[in-house]
Amino acid sequence: MADTLNDTLRAQLDVYVTETFVNEDDVLRSIQAEAALNELPAISIRGFEGRLLQMLVHISGAKQIVEIGTLAGYSAVWLARALPATGKLYTLEKSAKHAAVARGNFERAGLESRVEVIEGDAQTSLAKLSARNPFDMVFIDADRPHYQDYLNWAAENLRPGGLVAAHNAFRSGRVLTPENEDDRFVQEFNAALAKDTRFEAFVIAVGDGLAVAVRK
Ligand SMILES: C[S@@+](CC[C@H](N)C(=O)[O-])C[C@H]1O[C@@H](n2cnc3c(N)ncnc32)[C@H](O)[C@@H]1O
């Protein structure tokens, strides 16, 4: 019963925060519609998580961002809109279909000059992107088994003070008692991040949990 009450209150607060602080415009709504139309999985971040990412861009003054996991480009549009006009978001996507849908969405959003989709496996793309370091922020939202590899790449390629944000830190609550491999990977990732001497780390309990870390 207590859980049900907490869940209801949490859902009500999510709606309150969304209505008060989150301006999801027609472009963002159309990205979700386009994703559904193209039968992409409904696994993007939520609007208020997008607004949180934007706040992290503003707070950190990020100008060069790497995103791992594009899908239809929903989170990328939130991130890119917070960048200065000269800023750049590199977003990494292994699915050619997802990348194509996302490119169309970035054009519709008028962000094609600020966002570059890099198609292929993230590990390969990251190895190439190292040539363009240092970066200011890395958003990890794909491929849970390799979160630790992505964190290691971030440690090597972020400027001091640069930021890592890793989505799904809570795994819908299952991080407490993992039920599958991905839950276990995220549980291990959070524990390792908390002890990682290269970063100052914490988890922001918004949405499905955003693990955040600042490069020392
Ligand atoms: C959770 S979705 C990303 C959602 C997106 N960040 C958003 O909130 O709008 C994960 C995406 O990462 C892609 N992906 C999964 N494994 C990958 C890998 N190893 N390299 C690159 N992309 C990958 C999937 O195809 C999927 O489109």
Side-chain angles (χ1 to χ4, degrees), residues 153-166:
W153 184 89
E156 296 296 316
N157 290 278
L158 279 172
R159 64 164 164 83
L163 202 64
V164 177

Side-chain angles (χ1 to χ4, degrees), residues 1-14:
M1 178 59 88
D3 279 351
T4 311
L5 275 179
N6 283 338
D7 288 351
T8 306
L9 183 58
R10 176 76 184 253
Q12 287 171 345
L13 286 170
D14 285 349

Side-chain angles (χ1 to χ4, degrees), residues 31-32 40-41 43-46 49 53 67-76 91-95 98-99 118-123 125 139-144 146 150 167-168:
I31 292 174
Q32 300 297 48
L40 268 52
I43 51 172
S44 74
I45 59 162
R46 298 172 67 187
E49 293 175 308
L53 287 175
E67 173 181 63
I68 302 166
T70 314
L71 194 65
Y74 183 78
S75 54
T91 180
L92 279 40
E93 176 55 58
K94 75 170 182 190
S95 156
H98 298 184
I118 304 181
E119 215 175 296
D121 184 76
Q123 305 234 41
S125 305
F139 175 49
I140 308 173
D141 191 21
D143 189 20
R144 320 295 158 208
H146 292 112
Y150 301 144
H167 191 228
N168 302 117

Side-chain angles (χ1 to χ4, degrees), residues 147-148 166-171 175 183-196 201-203 210-212:
Y147 264 33
Q148 187 61 49
H167 191 228
N168 302 117
F170 291 162
R171 300 286 304 159
V175 74
D183 297 344
R184 262 181 292 279
F185 283 128
V186 171
Q187 190 188 55
E188 284 165 18
F189 172 81
N190 289 341
L193 179 64
K195 292 199 184 94
D196 196 319
F202 193 56
V203 63
L210 191 70
V212 289

